[in-house]
Amino acid sequence: MGLSDRLAARFDVESHGSDVRTELVAGLTTFLAMSYIIVVNPAILSEAIQIEGYGPGEVFQMIAIATILSAAIGTAVMALYANRPFGLAPGLGLNAFFAYTVVLGLGVPWQTALAAVFVEGVLFMVLTAVGAREYVIRLFPEPVKRSVGAGIGLFLLFIGFQELQIVVPDDATLVTLGGIFGNPWAILGVLGLAFTFGLWARGITGSIVLGILTTSLVGWGLTFAGVFDRGTVTAAPGALPAPQYDITPLAGAFVDGLGQIDPLTFVLVVFTFFFVDFFDTAGTLIGVSQFGDFLDDDGDLPDMDRPLMADAVGTTAGAVLGTSTVTTYIESSTGVEEGGRTGLTALVVALLFVASLVLIPVVAAIPAYASFIALIVVGVMMLQGLVEVDWSDPAWAVSAGLTVTVMPFAYSIADGLAAGIVAYPLIKLAIGEARDVDPGQYVIAALLAAYYVLQTRGVIL
């Protein structure tokens, strides 16, 4: 039995309607869509993490390596334990909260912030082991489960539009059509997007990968030819010099943080990390699973406790290594779109993260305008989930509509989920169908409403 046959048997590829080649392409696609985090995460966290005796560039590299290792660990657990095609890495939004709100805003030592992430991860491991996380997620209203994929799709679209400057900030309307034709790299990004859509429309396997690589190669060629300024075609110009692999000043720093705790602030920080990570992960798992047709007739993901445990293990490992909360990535949908259906896709992602330890400068050289093509393409594809919503039912229409629209407008998967979850029982009450709502759904809606009221009043973060 060859390696391909052993992999197919280990991950039960055929019964999931896939094959080894498709899984490999899907893993590469997901990795390329996620790889920007290798540069973006340290760029954010290095604003808050300063280590005595080390310069900014050295700290940046330490965090980059911690990012890669935590992503590889979490994704490997997803592959080998959960057998799902989902990639994990330190989450955007959570890292910004870590750096700008907790450390720089509240003045909490970065070691203590890592300790809060560690505690959150351990709590998630315990709650997942006893089935509590899965139980809560199963209580999500069905219209939320059926619409979350489209909401994430719009979120991806908005991010991609911003990165390619298709939309830009505007004082009067908040956003407006960008001046694409005034930026050579933006023009190239839009042309690459059109090329990728064309490949996908023709049913070419690996269309997203081909679009990203082709656009990158053209950009690099134009740079070497002197058409582009070098700074416009790199994700983070000059961010990473020769790799440095000693991260001992960062790894394990959370232990020191446990001795510098102000109990009230620490509990609030842990709770906020806990809340946002819980609902971000839930939304991503359900949304990507909907897109991959993994959900059952009730809109639930079978054996959800396994991917949830992978997420919890990734968060705990990330805190130990020295990075913020690790979560399941919405970019996993890029690999699912390419046909990834098993943990073999995730294993490829994990291995590519490990390989990127050697190729950090190359990975960092993937231009933003090329990598974010994947978000726009997949964002459009994920809108198909809206056909599963019963728009004639008022409770479905309001709940699903808010879930879909609040995500991109609030720039938060968690906020979109919360809007849909709270709206569902309220509309059911209004139309006289209160008995159709599970008592647990009333409890979740009430807790979410209380959370946002307290947050607005500044009682919690």
Side-chain angles (χ1 to χ4, degrees):
M1 181 181 290
L3 177 60
S4 179
D5 293 332
R6 289 198 296 271
L7 288 173
R10 169 63 179 80
F11 293 98
D12 199 17
V13 171
E14 290 185 7
S15 69
H16 287 83
S18 185
D19 56 66
V20 172
R21 179 181 179 277
T22 299
E23 297 288 308
L24 296 179
V25 171
L28 176 60
T29 303
T30 297
F31 173 75
L32 287 176
M34 292 176 61
S35 61
Y36 66 86
I37 197 62
I38 297 172
V39 172
V40 174
N41 192 54
I44 292 173
L45 293 185
S46 60
E47 294 282 328
I49 296 177
Q50 298 179 2
I51 302 175
E52 186 176 354
Y54 294 87
E58 293 171 308
V59 173
F60 188 103
Q61 291 183 76
M62 290 180 194
I63 301 172
I65 293 169
T67 300
I68 290 169
L69 293 177
S70 62
I73 292 170
T75 307
V77 175
M78 183 69 76
L80 301 173
Y81 177 66
N83 196 25
R84 293 291 184 183
F86 307 142
L88 294 86
L92 285 174
L94 287 163
N95 54 10
F97 173 74
F98 179 104
Y100 302 124
T101 300
V102 176
V103 179
L104 298 177
L106 298 176
V108 175
W110 61 268
Q111 297 93 335
T112 303
L114 287 176
V117 175
F118 176 80
V119 171
E120 175 217 346
V122 172
L123 285 174
F124 272 148
M125 290 176 69
V126 173
L127 291 174
T128 303
V130 301
R133 286 180 83 187
E134 183 175 5
Y135 171 74
V136 172
I137 294 172
R138 288 185 183 277
L139 286 176
F140 286 11
E142 192 170 354
V144 172
K145 295 175 183 176
R146 298 299 180 183
S147 61
V148 67
I152 292 174
L154 283 178
F155 189 26
L156 289 171
L157 272 171
F158 191 43
I159 294 172
F161 284 165
Q162 288 178 306
E163 291 299 324
L164 290 184
Q165 292 195 6
I166 294 174
V167 296
V168 295
D170 181 80
D171 292 337
T173 61
L174 299 185
V175 293
T176 188
L177 191 64
I180 301 171
F181 296 105
N183 298 285
W185 63 267
I187 295 173
L188 180 57
V190 172
L191 291 175
L193 175 63
F195 175 69
T196 306
F197 269 127
L199 293 175
W200 171 76
R202 293 180 63 85
I204 296 176
T205 302
S207 58
I208 296 176
V209 174
L210 290 172
I212 292 173
L213 292 179
T214 301
T215 307
S216 298
L217 288 171
V218 172
W220 293 335
L222 291 172
T223 302
F224 291 132
V227 177
F228 277 0
D229 176 80
R230 187 172 299 274
T232 65
V233 292
T234 54
L240 290 174
Q244 170 192 303
Y245 294 99
D246 180 13
I247 64 169
T248 51
L250 184 63
F254 80 97
V255 176
D256 295 332
L258 290 171
Q260 307 176 43
I261 292 174
D262 173 69
L264 178 59
T265 302
F266 188 76
V267 169
L268 292 176
V269 171
V270 170
F271 176 76
T272 305
F273 276 133
F274 184 93
F275 170 83
V276 177
D277 188 22
F278 187 103
F279 286 97
D280 265 12
T281 299
T284 301
L285 282 177
I286 295 173
V288 178
S289 296
Q290 178 195 17
F291 192 65
D293 199 26
F294 301 143
L295 302 180
D296 59 24
D297 292 338
D298 296 323
D300 296 320
L301 177 63
D303 298 320
M304 189 186 293
D305 60 308
R306 289 178 175 265
L308 288 174
M309 182 60 78
D311 184 89
V313 170
T315 291
T316 307
V320 171
L321 290 166
T323 186
S324 54
T325 306
V326 171
T327 187
T328 306
Y329 257 55
I330 52 179
E331 285 83 358
S332 302
S333 53
T334 60
V336 172
E337 163 58 25
E338 291 292 349
R341 293 294 182 270
T342 74
L344 180 54
T345 293
L347 182 62
V348 172
V349 176
L351 293 174
L352 288 172
F353 267 114
V354 173
S356 69
L357 286 169
V358 178
L359 301 173
I360 281 179
V362 176
V363 172
I366 296 292
Y369 60 74
S371 62
F372 282 97
I373 284 173
L375 302 192
I376 297 177
V377 175
V378 172
V380 170
M381 296 170 186
M382 292 184 75
L383 296 179
Q384 64 185 277
L386 290 175
V387 301
E388 299 183 19
V389 176
D390 182 2
W391 295 103
S392 65
D393 184 312
W396 273 67
V398 174
S399 180
L402 289 176
T403 299
V404 169
T405 55
V406 170
M407 281 187 192
F409 292 157
Y411 223 75
S412 168
I413 295 173
D415 290 346
L417 278 174
I421 291 169
V422 172
Y424 183 74
L426 291 177
I427 302 301
K428 281 290 190 180
L429 279 169
I431 62 177
E433 297 179 0
R435 293 185 178 180
D436 294 343
V437 180
D438 189 292
Q441 292 176 338
Y442 285 113
V443 173
I444 293 176
L447 290 174
L448 285 172
Y451 171 84
Y452 282 100
V453 169
L454 293 173
Q455 186 185 55
T456 301
R457 293 179 175 272
V459 177
I460 59 178
L461 300 175

